[in-house]
Amino acid sequence: MSESLFGMPPANVDADIAEGRVALTVDTSLHSLDAIYAAAYAFIGRCYVLLERPAPERVRVVLAPKPSGADGDALRALIGEFANELLSATWRREITRSNRALIEAVTMQAFAGALGSPSLDDLEAFQFGDEPFEDPLGIAQSWEEKYRKKPRTPEEPTE
Amino acid sequence: MIELRFHRDLYAGTAIDSALGRFAGVARFVRREDGADFVVEVHAQSPGRERTVAGELANFALGLTVEAGGPDR
Amino acid sequence: MKLPVSDSRSYAAFFRFRELGEHVVVTSLEGEWVVLRRDEFSAFANGKVEPGSDLDVRLQARNLVREHFDVRRAAETMARRRRFVHGGPNLHLVVVTLRCNETCVYCHASRADLDAVHTDMTPEIADATVDMILRTTSPHVTIEFQGGEPLVAFPIVERIVERAVEKNRSAGKQLEFTMVSNLALMDEDKLRWLLGHRVQICTSIDGAKSLHDKQRVLPMASSWDTATKWIARINAAYAEAGLDPTLYHVEALLTTTRETLSRWREVVDTYVELGCRALFLRPVDPFGFAEKTRRVVEYPRAEYLAFYRHALDYIIEKNRAGVEILERYAAIFLTKILTGDDPNFLDIRSPGGAGIGQLAYNFDGKVFSSDEGRMLAAAGDPTFLLGDVRSSSYREIVGHPTIRAMAIASNLDGQPDCIDCTYVPYCGTQPEHNHKTLGTMMGRMRESSMCAVHKGIQDILFEKLATADNETLEILRRWTTIRPREHFLQP
């Protein structure tokens, strides 16, 4: 049976205390799907997490603590922590985008410094397969590939 | 039986298949599609086991979707 | 106070600010700083500073005036603050055994009983550990022996030291060794060997005898009596060897438990009486003990900060009376604040030192991002396990995806709250701590006890910098002077 939790807006948070579940309905115009994934992923160690799609602009995140028997207070604390984590993930995403160049530069220097040059043994052990290697920072891309203007898609906002 | 519904906007179909593969030996699953949802029925020996398996399956489906970079585009 | 916006764009360069009582701390992008009165801050932020006034001159001197902003100076300062980034792992913690002869109230995952000989590092693993360590790109290598109690497995300590010295003839690192020991199993033979091989010896002192013995239980004897006896003996041995006693003496580590909080004066007096020149007022960390223990030893961070303030004031009072002893947290932050340098303390830097500045090697060959990562694994969470000295290459360990994630997670330029924090140029976070206490490596700083401690300590320090007299300022400046202990470098 769905019920509200003290201090939580009933339009966004609902709980089924008997079933040990609590849910937050998220407006995706405020929080991107990437941020929702990031926050949800942080909880899969201690909760069962299910994402639902109640409406086109909404994602409902359902959390059920793995040990059953959580009471209303525990569920309230849990969904509150999730909401904080979601806000943090959303903001982190924006900051990372703004500071991307600085973060990439520092990370690259740190790893170049710590890894050093590969030895002949390292090169010998390297698997030159068909799979593209992981390049999350786009280091291997040419300037043209990385920065060329992409064709504008209809949903992109214009400035 | 517990029914899980994974929406195509949120989950990669390949992630669900992969998760089902990992849990194949621990419960019986029925997979079907219903509109925008991938639907998985979880049948196990007891309600407690069904809850655990369904929960872990959902976590795996989410984790593998995140690893895959999001739902199928 | 709201951030004044009118005209600020025409005068102030980028700044962050934090109110502290009657003052406002202002820091620049690169970590220059000034403490202003509220009326001065209002003039600064509103662009109402009289050209050529004292305030204008002070602000220009701190590179906080847009019109005179020195880009090259800012870039050089930022680079200097992050000089450590290229360095590679320089600190290598080796757990030679989990066996320990003492039982401490706060230690759970890091110890095993004395009959657990299977937790001793084998010679094969010890050799592979040394070989892995010397593959580091860092020209400076400190091998720190931990446990358990390293003296329980002394032959392994000897083996590692001798092999590292031998192998270093071709590796050519600046190599040094440190051993953290409770000293209860020390004897003259072991001491002679350690001194002969220039192994620096550190110990743990939790405060006066009553507190130390209560928290660190040694069967059939007083852990305090044995530790202090050997501190005196080792200090005498350094002096006999002609080493400067102000530089060469046993340093001790404090673990601040709930019971320590009211005993700040006693703790400081104890350290002074033991001849220590540094006291690190670290709060108890959340790793390696059970929930039941946590309730006994933990405390709210506000109580810790009150303890820190009392203890710091008392340490300064001691210094004013001619006793030279520093507080380590203060020294770390003041070095960053006053000198623009970074002392490369691995838990307070951005990005943090896990993997790219330090590695921890367990008795069983497993390699972790840090000792905290190792303790988490001992408690059942292997998140920070990177590989094994017998089967992983150095590049696999350091280039591990977990280390990449940790480097990004601990870069404060990507951390909500930190990017707006006045103290970000001097601060750092620890992914293992965030993971343990907040569930993700990034953490949420508003809820982080580590953030509360770092921010609280920097508040106290900036208060001092704003209001202290010249004598106290000189004491604080002296704490930023690092005198290298060159005797401990391997020849």
Side-chain angles (χ1 to χ4, degrees), chain C residues 112-133:
Chain C
D113 290 336
L114 281 176
D115 57 358
V117 290
H118 63 282
T119 69
D120 286 0
M121 189 176 264
T122 64
E124 177 214 359
I125 292 173
D127 292 353
T129 300
V130 170
D131 296 351
M132 175 73 80
I133 290 171

Side-chain angles (χ1 to χ4, degrees), chain A residues 97 148-159:
Chain A
R97 191 180 291 155
R148 81 174 156 214
K149 276 199 168 171
K150 295 179 181 69
R152 194 181 294 283
T153 52
E155 62 269 25
E156 276 184 327
T158 51
E159 287 183 61

Side-chain angles (χ1 to χ4, degrees), chain C residues 174-307:
Chain C
Q174 267 201 338
L175 177 65
E176 54 188 308
F177 301 98
T178 300
M179 190 176 73
V180 182
S181 164
N182 61 39
L183 302 177
L185 293 172
M186 185 65 84
D187 58 38
E188 286 295 333
D189 287 342
K190 291 191 186 100
L191 178 59
R192 197 176 309 111
W193 190 92
L194 290 165
L195 293 171
H197 287 80
R198 297 173 186 250
V199 178
Q200 186 173 0
I201 302 166
C202 300
T203 192
S204 301
I205 293 290
D206 283 355
K209 178 177 164 70
S210 58
L211 181 58
H212 185 89
D213 280 344
K214 185 176 172 187
Q215 294 191 164
R216 305 179 64 90
V217 178
L218 182 62
M220 314 296 285
S222 158
S223 58
W224 164 268
D225 288 344
T226 50
T228 54
K229 181 189 89 174
W230 280 104
I231 289 173
R233 171 70 191 98
I234 296 163
N235 287 346
Y238 287 146
E240 287 161 19
L243 297 170
D244 176 0
T246 66
L247 195 55
Y248 295 96
H249 48 265
V250 177
E251 290 292 7
L253 291 168
L254 175 80
T255 299
T256 308
T257 63
R258 181 177 291 184
E259 194 153 353
T260 321
L261 296 181
S262 61
R263 301 171 77 161
W264 47 270
R265 183 184 291 271
E266 189 183 271
V267 167
V268 175
D269 285 338
T270 300
Y271 271 67
V272 170
E273 282 161 22
L274 290 173
C276 298
R277 295 274 176 145
L279 173 52
F280 198 167
L281 298 170
R282 296 178 311 162
V284 69
D285 67 36
F287 307 100
F289 53 73
E291 180 63 21
K292 197 174 76 178
T293 311
R294 192 182 68 78
R295 289 196 294 270
V296 176
V297 300
E298 259 284 16
Y299 36 79
R301 287 304 180 253
E303 288 178 27
Y304 166 81
L305 287 169
F307 157 82

Side-chain angles (χ1 to χ4, degrees), chain B:
Chain B
M1 184 272 285
I2 291 178
E3 183 181 276
L4 294 169
R5 302 185 81 87
F6 300 102
H7 197 282
R8 286 172 196 276
D9 285 355
L10 307 175
Y11 291 90
T14 49
I16 294 162
D17 289 340
S18 180
L20 284 170
R22 292 182 192 220
F23 286 87
V26 297
R28 187 169 68 81
F29 302 101
V30 178
R31 182 194 190 285
R32 60 189 165 82
E33 296 184 16
D34 179 11
D37 289 335
F38 302 108
V39 181
V40 176
E41 290 176 11
V42 182
H43 301 265
Q45 290 162 339
S46 68
R49 188 170 174 83
E50 263 171 7
R51 177 183 185 271
T52 304
V53 173
E56 293 293 348
L57 179 77
N59 280 2
F60 264 78
L62 175 62
L64 293 169
T65 297
V66 172
E67 269 183 30
D72 304 320
R73 310 267 181 208

